[in-house]
Amino acid sequence: MDDFSRSWTALRAAVAGLADEDFARPSGCADWLVRDLVCHLVIDAQDVLITLATPADSPPTRDAATYWEVSDTPPTGDDPLDALTVRLAAAYGDPGLLAFHLDDVGSAAGRAAALADPGGRVSTRGEVLTVADYLSAYVLEWTLHHLDLVARLPRAPRPPEEGLAAARALLERIAGTPFPAALSDTDALLVGTGRRAPSAAESTALSGAGVRIPLSLG
């Protein structure tokens, strides 16, 4: 729960600190500008609110690792929701309105998460998870998107170290094996999810550790 709050607060603060012109810069998500990514975060925050307000009585069917649908093929941008996100982001016009919407909905999502019972169960995407597992899955989401946000914004604040470590640990669970210790948490996340191509040395280390990349998470 602490990692969720810490990661989400840091990501929202990073968005709040952006200059208007930063919203038109490329993000670390292929073919998405920063404004598109921020719009996606608004949708994510809405999903968190909806899920936390959708209790379930049946036993969990997924945990924080199995919540993710894993593919070895990166997104192509052809998904209808991706296309809708880009159009919606452009419709805001004023970056300040988009930032305000994220702060408004995002603050509510953060409060709902802080008030939720970690042992409670919620339903999302036709599956049941404990609140703790659901929020843990989102630590990975927030951390990856924080890295996407600052990919071409060198002065923007980076994700908190605790969130990076927790996200790496979850990605290693998804991969089924630890990443080489020589990779920093940031590099493990970027390379592991295909956001950055590995160097020759990293490829050798990953192969030696039995890690198959990229892991495309959806």
Side-chain angles (χ1 to χ4, degrees):
M1 304 287 280
D2 289 343
D3 285 331
F4 176 93
S5 178
R6 188 181 294 113
S7 299
W8 187 219
T9 299
L11 178 51
R12 286 163 39 224
V15 172
L18 297 177
D20 283 357
E21 57 268 24
D22 291 334
F23 284 79
R25 300 183 191 278
S27 77
C29 293
D31 300 324
W32 271 12
L33 302 176
V34 166
R35 71 182 187 192
D36 304 326
L37 174 58
V38 175
C39 188
H40 172 75
L41 295 177
V42 172
I43 296 170
D44 269 353
Q46 292 172 339
D47 284 345
V48 169
L49 281 169
I50 292 168
T51 299
L52 293 178
T54 310
D57 295 326
S58 55
T61 57
R62 300 281 181 107
D63 61 21
T66 56
Y67 167 83
W68 298 98
E69 300 293 339
V70 183
S71 170
D72 56 7
T73 304
T76 63
D78 295 332
D79 183 270
L81 182 56
D82 290 346
L84 175 62
T85 300
V86 172
R87 293 197 299 272
L88 182 58
Y92 275 90
D94 179 0
L97 294 176
L98 182 54
F100 173 81
H101 196 183
L102 176 64
D103 181 65
D104 194 33
V105 180
S107 295
R111 289 192 298 270
L115 293 170
D117 174 11
R121 286 166 287 181
V122 291
S123 178
T124 181
R125 306 196 301 191
E127 304 289 349
V128 176
L129 296 88
T130 65
V131 168
D133 273 321
Y134 176 70
L135 296 181
S136 293
Y138 260 87
V139 173
L140 178 55
E141 174 85 354
W142 301 148
T143 303
L144 287 173
H145 282 327
H146 197 147
L147 292 172
D148 292 331
L149 181 78
V150 304
R152 293 173 177 82
L153 298 171
R155 293 187 178 86
R158 268 40 195 171
E161 293 298 326
E162 300 90 341
L164 288 165
R168 178 196 183 133
L170 181 53
L171 188 64
E172 289 178 337
R173 283 177 57 194
I174 294 168
T177 186
F179 286 79
L183 267 69
S184 69
D185 293 339
T186 295
D187 287 332
L189 292 167
L190 293 176
V191 172
T193 59
R195 284 167 163 80
R196 176 174 73 74
S199 67
E202 289 169 339
S203 291
T204 299
L206 288 163
S207 178
V211 179
R212 295 182 60 184
I213 58 169
L215 298 168
S216 182
L217 307 178

